Amino acid sequence: MSDDALEQALALGEEERWDEMAELLEGALQDDADDPYLLGWLGVAERERGNDGVAYEYFKRCLAQDPHDPQLLALAGSGLASFDDPEAETALRAAALTGPDMSTTRLQYGAYLARAGLFDEALGQLRAAIELDPEDPVSHSELATALAPKGDIAGAIPPMEHALELAPE
């Protein structure tokens, strides 16, 4: 049941139908209260609905299940990072280490490191994310965002311009 529910919920999320996504995932949790995928994506849905406290608890519960999927670690880790939870770093580092060939894991960890002021480490992760997915505007934007506070304003301009070319909206 949880695989079908998760697939349906992700489709609802693609359409930004967060209330319906959350309801579907909550129902699926009745059958499997410890499914880390349901918990992680319910955290996303609740955050999008503006229920930050509830979202935080779902991200915590997700990681408490000790998931090994790098993408799920990145999802829950970035969710916790938005609440300045110190467990975020561990989850995001694990995501990048176990999924080094996934741009999402490298992007999320790099963005976290940049926000923590660890610019050199962040730049390595963000450049790796760009190498893995050169057409992702978010990676280019995050690279620019990491370069600017490091003091490399001139270096931040090309990746930001490229991000805007990739996603003008």
Side-chain angles (χ1 to χ4, degrees):
M1 159 92 179
S2 65
D3 287 344
D4 291 338
L6 184 59
E7 190 174 312
Q8 292 172 10
L10 293 175
L12 291 169
E14 286 289 321
E15 297 173 7
E16 297 183 9
R17 294 166 56 187
W18 307 116
D19 292 335
E20 294 168 75
M21 180 182 182
E23 288 174 22
L24 181 63
L25 291 170
E26 287 168 354
L29 274 181
Q30 299 300 316
D31 295 330
D32 190 357
D34 295 327
D35 184 305
Y37 292 94
L38 297 176
L39 293 166
W41 284 105
L42 191 50
V44 170
E46 291 296 349
R47 182 179 58 204
E48 292 297 327
R49 293 170 76 187
N51 299 329
D52 290 345
V54 176
Y56 175 77
E57 290 304 319
Y58 282 124
F59 291 132
K60 292 288 278 188
R61 284 179 58 194
C62 172
L63 288 177
Q65 301 310 309
D66 195 28
H68 297 284
D69 179 335
Q71 290 179 313
L72 186 58
L73 286 165
L75 175 91
S78 66
L80 289 183
S82 67
F83 298 104
D84 295 325
D85 187 300
E87 280 186 55
E89 194 276 333
T90 302
L92 291 168
R93 182 171 15 94
L97 289 172
T98 59
D101 57 344
M102 298 176 177
S103 66
T104 303
T105 63
R106 305 297 288 273
L107 167 64
Q108 295 299 328
Y109 189 40
Y112 173 84
L113 291 169
R115 284 170 181 74
L118 302 169
F119 299 114
D120 291 333
E121 296 90 340
L123 294 174
Q125 295 294 325
L126 294 169
R127 287 184 175 122
I130 290 170
E131 282 182 33
L132 292 165
D133 186 0
E135 299 303 311
D136 178 20
V138 177
S139 295
H140 293 277
S141 174
E142 287 292 342
L143 178 61
T145 302
L147 287 166
K150 185 178 189 248
D152 187 0
I153 302 298
I157 293 171
M160 185 57 77
E161 287 176 339
H162 192 64
L164 292 170
E165 287 171 10
L166 291 170
E169 68 281 355

